[in-house]
Amino acid sequence: MSTLDELRERALAAIADAHDLDALDQVRVTFTGKRSELAGVQATMRDLDAEGRKALGQQLNAFRAAFQDAFDARQRALGEAALAARLESERLDLTLPPRRLPPGRPHLLTQVEEEMLAVFIGMGFRVAEGPEAESGAYNFDLLNIEPDHPARQEMDTIYVDGYEDVVLRTHTSPVQARVMTTQAPPIAVVVPGRTYRADAVDATHSPVFSQIEGLYVDEHVTMADLRGTLLAFARALFGSDRDIRLRPSFFPFTEPSAEVDVSFHGPGGHHGWLEILGAGMVDPNVLEMCGIDPERYSGFAFGIGIERVAMLRHGVRDIRELFEADARFLARF
Ligand code: PHE
């Protein structure tokens, strides 16, 4: 009896002393394994009478129960401590600010183009598109630009080698003809796209540039509609205090034609006009060639250079900045 009590004292103390799960398991082997003191006590059973055996059996059971309880509790405590230590070592500091990657964004030209299109879409225009390699028929003939018309020379046309009568479109106006020959009025489209001219590169010229063409054809369309549309556009883009002015001009495909300026107020009370686009009433001859009855329908058209608007709006002095992909320049917009 006293041997078992003493053994229990030592076993429980050893359990309490075990500092990790391996040590705890070693305690189990030492105190309850095949060659343990407990096994020795158990072996004395066969020398006892029935009474003694019964009594020792109860003592052994009590020892095992006490040992198991203490062992389980210690095992649980060590397991929890091990988990807590692991969680602590794998802790993530969620307050650490993330490494910032600079977000990408559309190029300034794309931003301005989308802004311009949004204004016209808001007025009810739909977006149409056409090819950049264009036939002379659409780029010139259907727009009233005869083969020997000086406009063909003025536009410094780039011809596509190896094809008869294929040019890189010199303006987005050929899409006017494409739309009018395939759709019936009412027509209200805006056409964004790249255009090409054999111009030498300088601060205001690039052989590749972009335009937005506008076309509205319906019954009773007048110059007042053109003016109202362009005034709303200029104010949406440049500010509600702006005005526009139409100066007489000439395009083969519009009659009358106008250059359109937008007003500005500079520092020191300085103010003036900036040319932003060309426009006019669609020439009845163009309507007719495109299969639209000029007795019944009339229309207006305009063409806006996107680079020019971007430069005016954002104070860009040199058109080359728009094409050079200098990250310092691009990051400003
Ligand atoms: N296509 C003309 C240009 O590129 C602009 C324009 C378009 C003028 C539509 C009038 C009407 O210069």
Side-chain angles (χ1 to χ4, degrees):
M1 300 297 134
S2 62
T3 313
L4 269 183
D5 284 343
E6 185 263 341
L7 187 59
R8 175 164 59 193
E9 293 288 297
R10 277 194 285 127
L12 296 188
I15 286 173
D17 267 2
H19 288 306
D20 58 38
L21 291 167
D22 283 345
L24 184 63
D25 202 52
Q26 197 50 52
V27 171
R28 184 182 58 75
V29 171
T30 306
F31 285 91
T32 68
K34 278 203 184 88
R35 273 183 285 278
S36 62
E37 288 180 62
L38 182 67
V41 174
Q42 214 167 339
T44 64
M45 278 266 233
R46 64 179 122 82
D47 303 327
L48 298 176
D49 58 11
E51 273 299 288
R53 248 181 242 175
K54 190 180 169 198
L56 182 57
Q58 281 169 356
Q59 292 296 324
L60 284 169
N61 284 343
F63 174 89
R64 284 205 191 87
F67 184 91
Q68 197 63 45
D69 282 352
F71 182 90
D72 289 349
R74 186 68 185 150
Q75 190 176 49
R76 218 177 306 122
L78 287 173
E80 281 164 11
L83 178 63
R86 209 182 104 200
L87 290 179
E88 181 61 31
S89 76
E90 292 175 0
R91 182 187 216 95
L92 296 177
D93 181 358
L94 298 180
T95 66
L96 201 65
R99 216 164 283 156
R100 294 216 179 277
L101 293 176
R105 75 197 96 179
H107 188 278
L108 174 61
L109 278 179
T110 308
Q111 292 179 35
V112 171
E113 174 184 318
E114 284 173 358
E115 201 180 340
M116 291 163 73
L117 288 177
V119 173
F120 291 116
I121 289 166
M123 293 186 219
F125 288 82
R126 285 167 178 268
V127 175
E129 283 181 302
E132 293 177 19
E134 184 58 283
S135 74
Y138 285 113
N139 197 80
F140 298 120
D141 303 328
L142 287 166
L143 296 174
N144 231 10
I145 309 174
E146 318 249 306
D148 55 357
H149 196 284
R152 288 213 186 191
Q153 270 70 57
E154 274 166 35
M155 281 191 178
D156 297 318
T157 308
I158 297 171
Y159 291 85
V160 176
D161 250 5
Y163 292 86
E164 208 177 305
D165 205 36
V166 176
V167 303
L168 296 185
R169 65 181 177 194
T170 57
H171 49 180
T172 42
S173 299
V175 188
Q176 282 190 40
R178 285 182 173 271
V179 170
M180 285 191 281
T181 50
T182 54
Q183 296 177 29
I187 292 168
V189 292
V190 277
V191 182
R194 289 236 153 141
T195 49
Y196 302 83
R197 290 180 199 178
D199 278 330
V201 176
D202 65 23
T204 55
H205 291 88
S206 161
V208 184
F209 57 107
S210 11
Q211 293 186 332
I212 291 180
E213 191 83 6
L215 174 69
Y216 177 44
V217 181
D218 201 353
E219 293 177 346
H220 316 301
V221 176
T222 70
M223 198 93 183
D225 297 313
L226 172 62
R227 193 178 198 290
T229 301
L230 293 178
L231 180 61
F233 163 75
R235 289 188 170 167
L237 219 76
F238 292 97
S240 54
D241 57 336
R242 302 302 187 105
D243 269 313
I244 60 167
R245 131 183 128 170
L246 276 62
R247 283 179 291 108
S249 183
F250 175 80
F251 299 101
F253 36 93
T254 48
E255 181 57 38
S257 302
E259 303 278 4
V260 179
D261 302 339
V262 62
S263 65
F264 72 90
H265 303 277
H270 179 72
H271 68 272
W273 297 94
L274 294 163
E275 184 186 323
I276 54 165
L277 59 92
M281 301 304 292
V282 181
D283 192 304
N285 196 29
V286 171
L287 291 175
E288 182 127 45
M289 281 191 283
C290 292
I292 291 176
D293 179 3
E295 298 295 329
R296 182 171 169 199
Y297 295 105
S298 55
F300 66 68
F302 55 84
I304 315 173
I306 301 177
E307 286 79 6
R308 185 165 169 79
V309 169
M311 290 169 77
L312 291 175
R313 272 224 40 193
H314 296 280
V316 177
R317 294 264 182 79
D318 192 319
I319 197 171
R320 287 168 285 204
E321 300 219 78
L322 296 173
F323 299 106
E324 274 168 1
D326 182 328
R328 290 163 302 183
F329 172 79
L330 295 177
R332 285 171 42 203
F333 307 101

